[in-house]
Amino acid sequence: NLSTNLFTQLPSSITNLVNLKELHLYDNQLTSLPQNLCDLPTECLIVVSSNKLCEEYHYTCIVGWGSDLTAQDQSNCD
């Protein structure tokens, strides 16, 4: 659980966590996600709500609860 911090980015090496079941990233300051984020196990729940992600982040691995990009502060988006 990495939620409610001031993270602005994640290292791409996060995908090395091959046994990860859940990745909670909500309520941070993330403006981007690693390109290889969907290399995490398919059963891994990834929650990214309440960040600063722009609309273009529609990763197929982010589905269901926490995938709602409307909950993002998109004031930094072009």
Side-chain angles (χ1 to χ4, degrees):
N1 186 349
L2 300 175
S3 300
T4 316
N5 288 286
L6 298 175
F7 295 126
T8 57
Q9 56 185 301
L10 294 174
S12 61
S13 60
I14 194 126
T15 60
N16 293 340
L17 303 173
V18 296
N19 294 315
L20 193 63
K21 300 291 184 209
E22 296 183 13
L23 178 58
H24 293 266
L25 299 167
Y26 60 86
D27 200 18
N28 276 293
Q29 302 291 312
L30 295 172
T31 57
S32 65
L33 297 171
Q35 291 289 330
N36 63 341
L37 186 66
C38 290
D39 289 346
L40 285 168
T42 56
E43 66 274 2
C44 181
L45 172 67
I46 302 170
V47 181
V48 296
S49 59
S50 299
N51 278 284
K52 295 185 175 209
L53 296 171
C54 295
E55 216 170 89
E56 72 243 24
Y57 291 100
H58 292 287
Y59 291 94
T60 57
C61 58
I62 302 173
V63 295
W65 185 75
S67 65
D68 185 9
L69 288 176
T70 60
Q72 305 293 323
D73 173 1
Q74 296 186 348
S75 62
N76 66 318
C77 301
D78 291 332

Coordinates of all heavy atoms in Angstrom, one line a residue:
N1 N 0.8 -1.2 0.0 CA 0.0 0.0 0.0 C 0.9 1.2 0.0 O 1.6 1.5 1.0 CB -0.9 0.0 1.2 CG -1.9 1.1 1.2 OD1 -1.8 2.0 0.4 ND2 -2.9 1.0 2.1
L2 N 0.9 2.0 -1.1 CA 1.7 3.2 -1.3 C 0.8 4.4 -1.3 O 1.2 5.5 -1.8 CB 2.6 3.1 -2.5 CG 3.5 1.9 -2.6 CD1 4.2 1.8 -3.9 CD2 4.5 2.0 -1.4
S3 N -0.4 4.3 -0.8 CA -1.4 5.4 -0.9 C -1.1 6.5 0.1 O -0.4 6.3 1.1 CB -2.8 4.8 -0.7 OG -3.1 3.8 -1.6
T4 N -1.7 7.6 -0.3 CA -1.6 8.8 0.6 C -0.2 9.2 1.0 O 0.2 9.4 2.1 CB -2.5 8.6 1.9 OG1 -3.7 8.0 1.5 CG2 -2.8 9.9 2.6
N5 N 0.6 9.3 -0.1 CA 2.0 9.8 0.0 C 2.1 11.0 -1.0 O 1.1 11.4 -1.5 CB 3.0 8.7 -0.3 CG 3.1 7.7 0.8 OD1 3.7 7.9 1.8 ND2 2.5 6.5 0.5
L6 N 3.2 11.4 -1.2 CA 3.4 12.5 -2.2 C 4.2 12.0 -3.4 O 4.9 12.8 -4.1 CB 4.2 13.7 -1.5 CG 3.4 14.4 -0.4 CD1 4.3 15.4 0.3 CD2 2.1 14.9 -0.9
F7 N 4.1 10.7 -3.7 CA 4.8 10.2 -4.9 C 4.4 10.9 -6.2 O 3.2 11.1 -6.4 CB 4.5 8.7 -5.0 CG 5.1 7.9 -3.9 CD1 4.3 7.0 -3.2 CD2 6.4 7.9 -3.5 CE1 4.8 6.2 -2.2 CE2 6.9 7.2 -2.5 CZ 6.1 6.3 -1.8
T8 N 5.3 11.2 -7.0 CA 5.0 11.9 -8.3 C 5.3 10.9 -9.4 O 4.9 11.1 -10.5 CB 5.9 13.1 -8.5 OG1 7.2 12.8 -8.4 CG2 5.5 14.2 -7.5
Q9 N 6.1 9.8 -9.1 CA 6.3 8.8 -10.1 C 6.7 7.5 -9.5 O 7.1 7.5 -8.3 CB 7.4 9.3 -11.1 CG 8.7 9.7 -10.5 CD 9.7 10.2 -11.5 OE1 10.0 9.5 -12.5 NE2 10.1 11.4 -11.4
L10 N 6.7 6.4 -10.3 CA 7.1 5.1 -9.8 C 8.2 4.6 -10.7 O 8.2 4.9 -11.9 CB 5.9 4.1 -10.0 CG 4.7 4.3 -9.1 CD1 3.6 3.3 -9.6 CD2 5.0 4.1 -7.7
P11 N 9.1 3.8 -10.1 CA 10.2 3.3 -10.9 C 9.6 2.2 -11.8 O 8.7 1.4 -11.4 CB 11.2 2.7 -9.9 CG 10.3 2.4 -8.7 CD 9.2 3.5 -8.7
S12 N 10.1 2.0 -13.0 CA 9.7 0.9 -13.8 C 10.0 -0.5 -13.2 O 9.4 -1.5 -13.5 CB 10.2 1.0 -15.2 OG 11.7 1.0 -15.2
S13 N 10.9 -0.5 -12.3 CA 11.3 -1.7 -11.6 C 10.2 -2.3 -10.7 O 10.3 -3.4 -10.2 CB 12.6 -1.6 -10.8 OG 12.5 -0.6 -9.8
I14 N 9.2 -1.5 -10.5 CA 8.0 -2.0 -9.7 C 7.5 -3.3 -10.3 O 6.9 -4.1 -9.6 CB 6.9 -1.0 -9.5 CG1 6.0 -1.4 -8.5 CG2 6.2 -0.7 -10.8 CD1 5.8 -0.4 -7.4
T15 N 7.6 -3.5 -11.6 CA 7.1 -4.7 -12.3 C 7.9 -5.9 -12.0 O 7.6 -7.0 -12.3 CB 7.0 -4.5 -13.8 OG1 8.3 -4.2 -14.3 CG2 6.1 -3.4 -14.1
N16 N 9.1 -5.8 -11.3 CA 9.9 -6.9 -10.8 C 9.2 -7.6 -9.7 O 9.6 -8.7 -9.3 CB 11.3 -6.5 -10.4 CG 12.1 -5.9 -11.6 OD1 11.8 -6.2 -12.7 ND2 13.1 -5.2 -11.3
L17 N 8.2 -7.1 -9.1 CA 7.5 -7.7 -8.0 C 6.5 -8.7 -8.5 O 5.3 -8.5 -8.5 CB 6.8 -6.6 -7.1 CG 7.7 -5.5 -6.6 CD1 6.9 -4.4 -5.9 CD2 8.7 -6.1 -5.6
V18 N 7.0 -9.8 -8.9 CA 6.2 -10.8 -9.6 C 5.1 -11.5 -8.8 O 4.2 -12.1 -9.3 CB 7.0 -11.9 -10.3 CG1 7.9 -11.2 -11.4 CG2 7.9 -12.6 -9.3
N19 N 5.2 -11.4 -7.5 CA 4.2 -12.0 -6.6 C 3.2 -11.0 -6.0 O 2.4 -11.3 -5.1 CB 4.9 -12.7 -5.4 CG 5.7 -13.9 -5.9 OD1 5.2 -14.7 -6.7 ND2 6.9 -14.1 -5.5
L20 N 3.2 -9.8 -6.5 CA 2.4 -8.7 -6.0 C 0.9 -9.0 -6.3 O 0.6 -9.4 -7.5 CB 2.8 -7.4 -6.7 CG 2.2 -6.1 -6.1 CD1 2.7 -5.9 -4.7 CD2 2.6 -4.9 -6.9
K21 N 0.1 -8.8 -5.3 CA -1.4 -9.1 -5.5 C -2.2 -7.8 -5.6 O -3.2 -7.8 -6.3 CB -1.9 -9.9 -4.3 CG -1.2 -11.3 -4.1 CD -1.6 -12.2 -5.3 CE -0.9 -13.5 -5.0 NZ -0.6 -14.3 -6.2
E22 N -1.7 -6.8 -4.9 CA -2.4 -5.5 -4.9 C -1.4 -4.4 -4.9 O -0.4 -4.5 -4.2 CB -3.4 -5.3 -3.7 CG -4.5 -6.3 -3.7 CD -5.5 -6.1 -2.6 OE1 -5.4 -5.0 -1.9 OE2 -6.3 -7.0 -2.3
L23 N -1.7 -3.3 -5.7 CA -0.8 -2.1 -5.7 C -1.7 -0.9 -5.5 O -2.4 -0.5 -6.4 CB 0.0 -2.0 -7.0 CG 0.9 -0.8 -7.2 CD1 1.9 -0.7 -6.1 CD2 1.5 -0.9 -8.5
H24 N -1.8 -0.4 -4.3 CA -2.6 0.7 -4.0 C -1.8 2.0 -4.1 O -0.9 2.2 -3.3 CB -3.2 0.6 -2.6 CG -4.2 -0.5 -2.5 ND1 -5.5 -0.4 -2.7 CD2 -4.0 -1.8 -2.3 CE1 -6.1 -1.5 -2.6 NE2 -5.2 -2.4 -2.3
L25 N -2.2 2.9 -5.1 CA -1.4 4.1 -5.3 C -2.3 5.3 -5.2 O -2.0 6.4 -5.6 CB -0.9 4.1 -6.7 CG 0.2 2.9 -7.0 CD1 0.4 2.8 -8.5 CD2 1.4 3.2 -6.2
Y26 N -3.5 5.2 -4.7 CA -4.5 6.3 -4.6 C -4.0 7.4 -3.7 O -3.2 7.2 -2.8 CB -5.9 5.8 -4.3 CG -6.0 5.2 -2.9 CD1 -6.2 5.9 -1.8 CD2 -5.9 3.8 -2.8 CE1 -6.3 5.3 -0.5 CE2 -6.0 3.2 -1.6 CZ -6.3 3.9 -0.4 OH -6.3 3.3 0.8
D27 N -4.5 8.6 -4.0 CA -4.2 9.8 -3.2 C -2.7 10.1 -3.1 O -2.2 10.3 -2.1 CB -4.8 9.7 -1.9 CG -5.0 11.0 -1.2 OD1 -5.0 12.1 -1.9 OD2 -5.2 11.1 0.0
N28 N -2.1 10.1 -4.3 CA -0.7 10.6 -4.4 C -0.6 11.8 -5.4 O -1.7 12.4 -5.6 CB 0.2 9.4 -4.9 CG 0.6 8.5 -3.8 OD1 1.4 8.9 -3.0 ND2 0.1 7.3 -3.9
Q29 N 0.5 12.0 -5.9 CA 0.7 13.1 -6.9 C 1.2 12.6 -8.2 O 1.9 13.3 -8.9 CB 1.7 14.2 -6.3 CG 1.2 14.8 -5.0 CD 0.0 15.7 -5.2 OE1 0.0 16.5 -6.0 NE2 -1.0 15.5 -4.3
L30 N 0.9 11.4 -8.5 CA 1.4 10.7 -9.8 C 0.9 11.5 -11.0 O -0.3 11.7 -11.2 CB 0.9 9.3 -9.8 CG 1.5 8.3 -8.8 CD1 0.8 7.0 -8.8 CD2 3.0 8.2 -8.9
T31 N 1.8 11.8 -11.9 CA 1.5 12.5 -13.1 C 1.7 11.5 -14.3 O 1.3 11.8 -15.4 CB 2.3 13.7 -13.3 OG1 3.7 13.4 -13.3 CG2 2.0 14.8 -12.3
S32 N 2.4 10.4 -14.1 CA 2.6 9.4 -15.1 C 2.7 8.0 -14.4 O 2.9 7.9 -13.2 CB 3.8 9.7 -15.9 OG 5.0 9.7 -15.1
L33 N 2.6 7.0 -15.3 CA 2.8 5.6 -14.8 C 3.9 5.0 -15.7 O 4.1 5.4 -16.8 CB 1.5 4.9 -15.0 CG 0.3 5.4 -14.1 CD1 -1.0 4.7 -14.6 CD2 0.6 5.2 -12.7
P34 N 4.6 4.0 -15.1 CA 5.6 3.3 -15.9 C 5.0 2.7 -17.2 O 3.9 2.1 -17.1 CB 6.2 2.3 -15.0 CG 5.8 2.7 -13.6 CD 4.6 3.5 -13.8
Q35 N 5.6 2.7 -18.3 CA 5.1 2.1 -19.5 C 4.9 0.6 -19.3 O 4.0 0.1 -20.0 CB 6.1 2.3 -20.7 CG 6.2 3.8 -21.1 CD 4.9 4.2 -21.8 OE1 4.3 3.4 -22.5 NE2 4.6 5.5 -21.7
N36 N 5.7 0.0 -18.5 CA 5.6 -1.5 -18.3 C 4.7 -1.9 -17.2 O 4.8 -3.0 -16.7 CB 7.0 -2.1 -18.2 CG 7.7 -1.5 -16.9 OD1 7.3 -0.5 -16.4 ND2 8.7 -2.2 -16.5
L37 N 3.9 -1.0 -16.7 CA 3.0 -1.3 -15.5 C 2.2 -2.6 -15.7 O 2.0 -3.3 -14.8 CB 2.1 -0.1 -15.2 CG 1.3 -0.2 -13.9 CD1 2.2 -0.2 -12.7 CD2 0.3 0.9 -13.8
C38 N 1.7 -2.8 -16.9 CA 0.9 -4.0 -17.1 C 1.7 -5.3 -17.2 O 1.1 -6.3 -17.5 CB 0.0 -3.8 -18.4 SG -1.3 -2.5 -18.1
D39 N 3.0 -5.2 -17.0 CA 3.8 -6.4 -16.9 C 3.7 -7.0 -15.5 O 4.1 -8.1 -15.3 CB 5.3 -6.1 -17.1 CG 5.6 -5.7 -18.6 OD1 4.7 -6.0 -19.4 OD2 6.7 -5.2 -18.8
L40 N 3.0 -6.4 -14.6 CA 2.7 -7.0 -13.3 C 1.7 -8.2 -13.5 O 1.1 -8.2 -14.6 CB 2.0 -6.0 -12.4 CG 2.9 -4.9 -11.8 CD1 2.1 -3.8 -11.1 CD2 3.8 -5.5 -10.7
P41 N 1.7 -9.1 -12.6 CA 0.8 -10.3 -12.8 C -0.7 -9.8 -13.1 O -1.1 -8.8 -12.6 CB 0.8 -11.0 -11.5 CG 2.1 -10.6 -10.8 CD 2.4 -9.2 -11.3
T42 N -1.3 -10.5 -14.0 CA -2.7 -10.1 -14.4 C -3.7 -10.1 -13.3 O -4.6 -9.4 -13.4 CB -3.2 -11.1 -15.5 OG1 -3.1 -12.4 -15.1 CG2 -2.4 -10.9 -16.8
E43 N -3.5 -10.9 -12.2 CA -4.4 -10.9 -11.1 C -4.1 -9.8 -10.1 O -4.8 -9.6 -9.1 CB -4.4 -12.2 -10.4 CG -3.1 -12.6 -9.7 CD -2.1 -13.3 -10.6 OE1 -2.3 -13.4 -11.8 OE2 -1.0 -13.6 -10.1
C44 N -3.1 -9.0 -10.4 CA -2.7 -7.9 -9.5 C -3.7 -6.7 -9.6 O -4.0 -6.2 -10.7 CB -1.3 -7.3 -9.8 SG -0.8 -6.0 -8.7
L45 N -4.3 -6.3 -8.5 CA -5.3 -5.2 -8.5 C -4.4 -3.9 -8.4 O -3.6 -3.8 -7.5 CB -6.2 -5.3 -7.2 CG -7.1 -4.1 -7.0 CD1 -8.1 -3.9 -8.1 CD2 -7.7 -4.2 -5.6
I46 N -4.6 -3.0 -9.3 CA -3.9 -1.7 -9.3 C -4.9 -0.6 -9.2 O -5.8 -0.4 -10.0 CB -3.1 -1.6 -10.7 CG1 -2.2 -2.7 -10.9 CG2 -2.4 -0.2 -10.7 CD1 -1.6 -2.8 -12.3
V47 N -4.7 0.2 -8.1 CA -5.6 1.3 -7.8 C -4.9 2.6 -7.9 O -3.9 2.8 -7.2 CB -6.2 1.1 -6.3 CG1 -7.1 2.2 -6.0 CG2 -6.8 -0.2 -6.2
V48 N -5.4 3.5 -8.8 CA -4.7 4.7 -9.1 C -5.5 6.0 -8.9 O -5.1 7.1 -9.3 CB -4.1 4.7 -10.5 CG1 -3.0 3.7 -10.7 CG2 -5.2 4.6 -11.6
S49 N -6.7 5.8 -8.3 CA -7.6 7.0 -8.2 C -7.0 8.1 -7.4 O -6.1 7.9 -6.6 CB -8.9 6.6 -7.7 OG -8.8 6.0 -6.4
S50 N -7.5 9.3 -7.6 CA -7.0 10.5 -6.8 C -5.5 10.8 -7.0 O -4.8 10.9 -6.0 CB -7.4 10.4 -5.3 OG -8.8 10.3 -5.2
N51 N -5.1 10.9 -8.2 CA -3.8 11.3 -8.5 C -3.9 12.5 -9.5 O -4.9 13.2 -9.5 CB -3.0 10.1 -9.1 CG -2.4 9.2 -8.1 OD1 -1.4 9.6 -7.4 ND2 -3.1 8.1 -7.9
K52 N -2.8 12.7 -10.3 CA -2.8 13.8 -11.3 C -2.6 13.2 -12.7 O -1.9 13.8 -13.5 CB -1.8 14.8 -10.9 CG -2.1 15.5 -9.6 CD -1.1 16.7 -9.4 CE -1.6 17.4 -8.1 NZ -1.2 18.8 -8.1
L53 N -3.1 12.0 -12.9 CA -2.9 11.4 -14.2 C -3.8 12.0 -15.3 O -4.9 12.3 -15.1 CB -3.2 9.9 -14.1 CG -2.3 9.1 -13.1 CD1 -2.9 7.7 -12.9 CD2 -0.9 9.1 -13.6
C54 N -3.2 12.1 -16.5 CA -4.0 12.6 -17.6 C -4.8 11.5 -18.3 O -4.5 10.3 -18.1 CB -3.0 13.3 -18.6 SG -2.2 14.7 -18.0
E55 N -5.8 11.9 -19.0 CA -6.7 11.0 -19.6 C -6.1 9.9 -20.5 O -6.7 8.8 -20.6 CB -7.7 11.8 -20.5 CG -9.1 11.3 -20.5 CD -10.0 12.3 -21.2 OE1 -10.2 12.2 -22.4 OE2 -10.5 13.2 -20.5
E56 N -4.9 10.1 -21.0 CA -4.3 9.1 -21.9 C -3.9 7.8 -21.2 O -3.6 6.8 -21.8 CB -3.1 9.7 -22.6 CG -1.9 9.9 -21.7 CD -1.5 11.3 -21.6 OE1 -2.3 12.2 -21.8 OE2 -0.3 11.6 -21.3
Y57 N -4.0 7.8 -19.8 CA -3.6 6.6 -19.1 C -4.7 5.6 -19.0 O -5.4 5.6 -18.0 CB -3.0 7.0 -17.7 CG -1.7 7.6 -17.9 CD1 -1.6 9.0 -17.8 CD2 -0.5 6.9 -18.2 CE1 -0.3 9.7 -18.0 CE2 0.7 7.5 -18.3 CZ 0.8 8.9 -18.2 OH 2.0 9.5 -18.4
H58 N -4.9 4.9 -20.0 CA -6.0 3.9 -20.1 C -5.3 2.5 -20.2 O -5.5 1.8 -21.2 CB -7.0 4.1 -21.2 CG -7.8 5.3 -20.9 ND1 -8.8 5.4 -20.0 CD2 -7.8 6.6 -21.5 CE1 -9.4 6.6 -20.0 NE2 -8.7 7.3 -20.9
Y59 N -4.6 2.1 -19.2 CA -3.9 0.8 -19.3 C -5.0 -0.3 -19.1 O -5.9 -0.2 -18.2 CB -2.9 0.7 -18.1 CG -1.7 1.6 -18.3 CD1 -1.6 2.8 -17.8 CD2 -0.6 1.1 -19.1 CE1 -0.5 3.6 -17.9 CE2 0.5 1.9 -19.2 CZ 0.5 3.2 -18.7 OH 1.6 3.9 -18.8
T60 N -4.8 -1.4 -19.8 CA -5.8 -2.5 -19.7 C -5.7 -3.2 -18.4 O -6.6 -3.9 -18.0 CB -5.6 -3.5 -20.9 OG1 -4.2 -4.0 -20.8 CG2 -5.9 -2.9 -22.2
C61 N -4.6 -3.1 -17.7 CA -4.4 -3.8 -16.4 C -5.1 -3.0 -15.3 O -5.2 -3.5 -14.2 CB -2.9 -4.0 -16.1 SG -1.9 -2.5 -16.1
I62 N -5.5 -1.8 -15.5 CA -6.2 -1.0 -14.5 C -7.7 -1.0 -14.8 O -8.2 -0.2 -15.6 CB -5.6 0.5 -14.4 CG1 -4.1 0.5 -14.2 CG2 -6.3 1.3 -13.4 CD1 -3.5 1.8 -14.3
V63 N -8.3 -1.9 -14.1 CA -9.8 -2.1 -14.3 C -10.5 -2.1 -13.0 O -9.9 -2.4 -12.0 CB -10.1 -3.3 -15.1 CG1 -9.5 -3.3 -16.5 CG2 -9.6 -4.6 -14.4
G64 N -11.8 -1.8 -13.0 CA -12.6 -1.9 -11.8 C -12.3 -0.8 -10.9 O -12.0 0.3 -11.2
W65 N -12.4 -1.1 -9.6 CA -12.3 -0.1 -8.5 C -11.0 0.6 -8.6 O -9.9 -0.1 -8.7 CB -12.5 -0.9 -7.2 CG -12.5 0.1 -6.0 CD1 -13.5 0.9 -5.6 CD2 -11.4 0.3 -5.1 NE1 -13.1 1.6 -4.5 CE2 -11.8 1.2 -4.1 CE3 -10.1 -0.2 -4.9 CZ2 -11.0 1.6 -3.1 CZ3 -9.3 0.2 -3.9 CH2 -9.8 1.1 -3.0
G66 N -11.0 1.9 -8.6 CA -9.7 2.6 -8.6 C -9.3 3.0 -10.0 O -8.3 3.7 -10.1
S67 N -10.0 2.5 -11.0 CA -9.5 2.8 -12.4 C -10.1 4.1 -12.9 O -9.9 4.5 -14.0 CB -9.8 1.7 -13.3 OG -11.2 1.5 -13.4
D68 N -11.0 4.7 -12.2 CA -11.8 5.9 -12.7 C -10.9 7.1 -12.8 O -10.5 7.7 -11.8 CB -12.9 6.2 -11.7 CG -13.8 7.3 -12.2 OD1 -13.7 7.7 -13.3 OD2 -14.7 7.7 -11.4
L69 N -10.5 7.4 -14.0 CA -9.7 8.6 -14.2 C -10.4 9.9 -14.1 O -9.8 10.9 -14.1 CB -9.0 8.5 -15.6 CG -7.9 7.4 -15.7 CD1 -7.4 7.3 -17.1 CD2 -6.8 7.7 -14.8
T70 N -11.7 9.9 -13.9 CA -12.4 11.1 -13.7 C -12.1 11.7 -12.3 O -12.3 12.8 -12.0 CB -13.9 11.0 -13.8 OG1 -14.4 10.0 -12.9 CG2 -14.3 10.5 -15.3
A71 N -11.6 10.8 -11.4 CA -11.2 11.2 -10.1 C -9.8 11.8 -10.0 O -9.3 12.0 -9.0 CB -11.3 10.1 -9.1
Q72 N -9.3 12.1 -11.2 CA -7.9 12.7 -11.3 C -8.0 14.2 -11.3 O -8.9 14.8 -11.9 CB -7.2 12.1 -12.5 CG -7.1 10.7 -12.7 CD -6.3 10.0 -11.6 OE1 -5.2 10.5 -11.2 NE2 -6.7 8.8 -11.2
D73 N -7.0 14.8 -10.8 CA -6.8 16.3 -10.9 C -6.0 16.4 -12.3 O -4.8 16.2 -12.4 CB -5.9 16.8 -9.8 CG -5.5 18.3 -10.0 OD1 -5.9 18.9 -11.1 OD2 -4.8 18.8 -9.1
Q74 N -6.7 16.8 -13.3 CA -6.1 16.9 -14.6 C -5.8 18.3 -15.0 O -5.6 18.6 -16.2 CB -7.1 16.2 -15.7 CG -7.3 14.7 -15.4 CD -8.1 14.1 -16.5 OE1 -8.7 14.7 -17.3 NE2 -8.0 12.7 -16.5
S75 N -5.6 19.1 -14.0 CA -5.2 20.5 -14.3 C -3.9 20.7 -15.0 O -3.6 21.7 -15.6 CB -5.3 21.4 -13.0 OG -4.4 20.9 -12.1
N76 N -3.0 19.7 -14.8 CA -1.7 19.7 -15.4 C -1.7 19.1 -16.9 O -0.6 19.1 -17.5 CB -0.7 18.9 -14.6 CG -1.0 17.5 -14.5 OD1 -2.1 17.0 -14.4 ND2 0.0 16.6 -14.6
C77 N -2.8 18.7 -17.3 CA -2.9 18.0 -18.7 C -3.1 19.1 -19.8 O -3.7 20.1 -19.6 CB -4.1 17.0 -18.7 SG -3.9 15.8 -17.4
D78 N -2.5 18.8 -20.9 CA -2.7 19.7 -22.1 C -4.0 19.4 -22.8 O -4.5 18.3 -22.8 CB -1.5 19.5 -23.1 CG -0.2 20.0 -22.5 OD1 -0.3 20.9 -21.6 OD2 0.9 19.5 -22.8

